Amino acid sequence: MWDTLKALQAATKDRKITDLFDDNRVEEFGVEADGLFFDFSKTNIDADTYTALIELAEEKKVSAKRDAMFAGAKINETEDRAVLHTALRNLDGDAVFVDGEDVMPGVKATLAQMADFANAVRSGAFKGQGGAITDVVNIGIGGSDLGPAMAYPALAPFADGPKCHFVSNVDGADLADKLAGLDPETTLVLVASKTFTTMETMMNAKSAFDWMATKVSNPADQFAAISTAEEETAAFGISAERVFGFEDWVGGRYSMWGPIGLSVMLAVGPDNFMAFLRGGQAMDQHFRTAPIADNMAFALALTGIWHHQICGYGTRAVLPYENRLLRLPAYLQQLEMESNGKSVSLAGDALDQTVGPIVWGEPGTNGQHAFYQLIHQGRQVVPCEFIVGAEGHEPHLAHHHRALLSNCLAQSEALMLGRDYATSEARMKAKGHKGDALKAHAMQRVFSGNRPSTTLMYQKLTPFVLGQIIALYEHRVFVEGAILGINSYDQWGVELGKELAVKLAPAVEEGGSTEGLHAGTAALVARAKALRTS
Ligand code: F6P
């Protein structure tokens, strides 16, 4: 099927996307799921291409693999683990078995434990030394940070609990800046780490503990842990009643639905957090039951395969016209690139094509005044994913939202329509340009157009909608990975740098030897030591 798709692309690559449009195209190349709408009409995908893409998914048995994932099969083969983040939001679903045991009672018990704790903190029943908790500091990195750090601003209109702060980087600047102005006596620290061994998190947790100890007599009483590693959390001194556990079948970058989302629950309350889970659950239901042709996760994935593997576009821009989704591109970078940035198949064979595109982006309209120049006129084509709500949460600023929406829609139209030389020349002539200057000015203002984009639209960014969107992207990653025959759920690519950092640590200390280090590294260690003053 790859060859068929490549042949279809070769035959249609010069075709104008606009030529594909008739009155039905948006309906035909659009998918609806519980109020969410995904429009992929502004791409060069036609009925034949889409049929071939669906056949590719069928040939790769994606639906059977999906069912195996939901049923608890150990599809993360290199780590011999099930992949069951979906169980964390399977609120009204059936039992889910791993190694013969139903995991749902444990999931529900942890959710209840989270809700009890969140209610106690939010009501002031759980106190710090100085009284009710005013601030929560979540210390974690990667999957133990990006989910809540993305969802917290996203759900700001629903936040009525303590303020949350997210510390991830081992750079002391991160911790220092986030702790500045906080009162240790009314601060709760959540140490979020699946393994509870991650160097950055443990160093930040220890320094936060020391900071709290400057004013609080029992700092451990104002610490909670979110982890799969009970022994390590006990060794840190955190009381078992404030340890929120999860199982190894929840991957780090898929973990915000459970205890890793505790900071979000503390901020917005258990009911809103449950609405977020229900949004994820609704998307799971859609993904499991809708035929491929009407399935939103398949539509995103197949559009992605078309653009990256078939058309060869190297990157994809995620452009939320929703300022509160400012951390979504960073979240999706981990979700997509840590999952599908691979070079070998499940069987360990080298792949003959790249798997995941580079994902990047920023909210609109800010990006328009930064990198959109390249998106519109650069030589490389960047498929764009616009994300926009029909309305905002600020009725008194509804005119702002209309401006936001019109900008978003204008961008996808501009990318598709472009502006030809004749139009550009006429505009420059009208401004009085002539001869060579006319050509030079006109050429600068030509837009090739025919640049693909998709639009994900919803009514308003609520916890439910956020849950739908995040689950949608998770399933898109799954479908792309399943089609390409890779394991989307391990991350061996992060290991080498971690190992070398451990080896390098003594060398950067004062008096540390650089013997045995690569010459290129040793020279930089020496230079840094010569530059530093303390
Ligand atoms: O470095 C990669 C990684 O393992 C991610 O996959 C994970 O989300 C992150 O580190 C944090 O790991 P942990 O939750 O165990 O501290």
Side-chain angles (χ1 to χ4, degrees):
M1 202 42 69
W2 291 114
D3 290 343
T4 307
L5 282 160
K6 293 222 162 109
L8 284 168
Q9 195 267 337
T12 57
K13 68 180 171 19
D14 297 323
R15 174 178 64 191
K16 295 260 171 255
I17 298 172
T18 45
D19 292 346
L20 291 168
F21 268 83
D22 58 22
D23 289 348
N24 300 325
R25 181 159 169 86
V26 177
E27 284 308 307
E28 281 169 20
F29 294 86
V31 184
E32 209 269 335
D34 299 300
L36 198 62
F37 184 68
F38 177 65
D39 168 26
F40 59 111
S41 63
K42 293 191 181 81
T43 67
N44 200 5
I45 293 173
D46 61 17
D48 290 343
T49 323
Y50 207 54
T51 302
L53 285 164
I54 290 171
E55 280 172 25
L56 175 69
E58 284 167 351
E59 185 184 289
K60 300 293 176 186
K61 304 195 176 359
V62 179
S63 303
K65 291 179 187 170
R66 171 199 62 199
D67 295 344
M69 173 176 74
F70 275 93
K74 296 197 174 175
I75 63 165
N76 177 357
E77 291 182 11
T78 62
E79 295 180 310
D80 191 30
R81 289 175 185 167
V83 173
L84 276 180
H85 45 279
T86 51
L88 300 177
R89 53 202 189 222
N90 179 36
L91 300 175
D92 323 298
D94 297 336
V96 180
F97 292 94
V98 175
D99 293 330
E101 198 182 320
D102 180 9
V103 301
M104 288 316 300
V107 166
K108 288 180 181 161
T110 304
L111 251 186
Q113 182 201 4
M114 287 168 64
D116 286 349
F117 184 62
N119 285 331
V121 171
R122 286 163 57 82
S123 68
F126 176 93
K127 291 186 183 8
Q129 181 174 289
I133 297 296
T134 54
D135 294 90
V136 173
V137 177
N138 187 85
I139 297 180
I141 195 163
S144 298
D145 165 71
L146 287 162
M150 175 275 296
Y152 177 67
L155 300 181
F158 301 86
D160 56 2
K163 283 203 177 61
C164 294
H165 314 266
F166 296 88
V167 176
S168 52
N169 202 321
V170 75
D171 184 344
D174 197 10
L175 185 70
D177 288 354
K178 303 285 167 50
L179 295 185
L182 301 193
D183 179 357
E185 293 192 82
T186 57
T187 296
L188 170 71
V189 176
L190 306 179
V191 185
S193 174
K194 184 175 167 181
T195 55
F196 230 70
T197 55
T198 302
M199 183 274 289
E200 294 92 332
T201 301
M202 298 329 294
M203 194 174 275
N204 277 323
K206 171 81 181 60
S207 299
F209 193 94
D210 294 345
W211 166 80
M212 195 169 277
T214 58
K215 274 185 89 181
V216 173
S217 23
N218 292 312
D221 290 351
Q222 286 173 227
F223 269 66
I226 302 162
S227 184
T228 56
E230 279 169 31
E231 280 178 24
E232 279 80 0
T233 56
F236 193 90
I238 299 175
S239 166
E241 87 238 20
R242 284 190 312 285
V243 175
F244 300 85
F246 56 107
E247 303 294 331
D248 70 0
W249 38 258
V250 180
R253 53 194 173 275
Y254 296 87
S255 61
M256 65 178 296
W257 310 94
I260 292 291
L262 183 59
S263 50
V264 180
M265 191 194 263
L266 285 161
V268 303
D271 288 350
N272 283 315
F273 192 79
M274 292 301 267
F276 168 69
L277 298 187
R278 292 211 179 275
Q281 185 187 31
M283 185 51 69
D284 292 346
Q285 183 64 10
H286 169 80
F287 179 47
R288 294 178 83 166
T289 55
I292 297 181
D294 303 318
N295 193 307
M296 196 177 285
F298 276 91
L300 260 80
L302 296 176
T303 306
I305 295 272
W306 172 253
H307 285 149
H308 186 61
Q309 275 76 24
I310 307 299
C311 300
Y313 306 142
T315 83
R316 171 154 49 78
V318 181
L319 307 168
Y321 276 67
E322 179 79 66
N323 202 54
R324 293 191 175 108
L325 288 179
L326 78 169
R327 296 292 284 151
L328 183 68
Y331 175 82
L332 293 180
Q333 282 177 333
Q334 188 198 23
L335 181 66
E336 304 205 22
M337 297 203 281
E338 194 167 82
S339 297
N340 286 350
K342 311 278 167 72
S343 300
V344 294
S345 71
L346 266 167
D349 299 321
L351 298 170
D352 56 7
Q353 54 189 345
T354 57
V355 175
I358 294 162
V359 176
W360 60 284
E362 273 285 315
T365 59
N366 293 15
Q368 291 176 203
H369 300 272
F371 52 79
Y372 277 40
Q373 165 64 41
L374 180 148
I375 288 180
H376 284 286
Q377 285 190 317
R379 291 206 48 173
Q380 62 275 63
V381 172
V382 180
C384 293
E385 256 171 36
F386 294 99
I387 300 176
V388 69
E391 58 184 348
H393 287 280
E394 295 73 27
H396 63 297
L397 297 173
H399 58 298
H400 284 246
H401 198 86
R402 296 209 176 105
L404 181 76
L405 181 62
S406 58
N407 268 276
C408 178
L409 302 182
Q411 290 299 326
S412 61
E413 186 172 299
L415 285 166
M416 177 174 67
L417 297 183
R419 183 197 286 147
D420 63 14
Y421 181 77
T423 311
S424 183
E425 189 190 51
R427 287 166 77 116
M428 291 304 102
K429 250 187 203 161
K431 291 200 166 192
H433 294 295
K434 295 189 180 77
D436 287 350
L438 171 63
K439 185 185 166 210
H441 280 284
M443 283 299 283
Q444 307 299 327
R445 289 159 175 82
V446 170
F447 291 72
S448 63
N450 218 25
R451 295 180 181 230
S453 70
T454 60
T455 302
L456 186 65
M457 190 179 277
Y458 46 86
Q459 190 235 339
K460 199 193 250 196
L461 188 62
T462 60
F464 184 89
V465 168
L466 185 68
Q468 286 179 294
I469 293 174
I470 300 306
L472 172 66
Y473 275 97
E474 288 177 349
H475 295 325
R476 175 234 211 116
V477 167
F478 171 84
V479 174
E480 291 192 4
I483 287 177
L484 294 153
I486 58 165
N487 181 357
S488 300
Y489 300 100
D490 58 13
Q491 55 284 319
W492 301 111
V494 302
E495 296 299 322
L496 180 59
K498 280 188 195 172
E499 278 169 29
L500 291 182
V502 171
K503 196 171 136 203
L504 260 167
V508 300
E509 294 297 335
E510 229 22 68
S513 163
T514 55
E515 214 183 301
L517 295 186
H518 184 275
T521 309
L524 291 177
V525 170
R527 183 168 285 266
K529 280 182 172 173
L531 284 172
R532 72 187 174 201
T533 56
S534 60

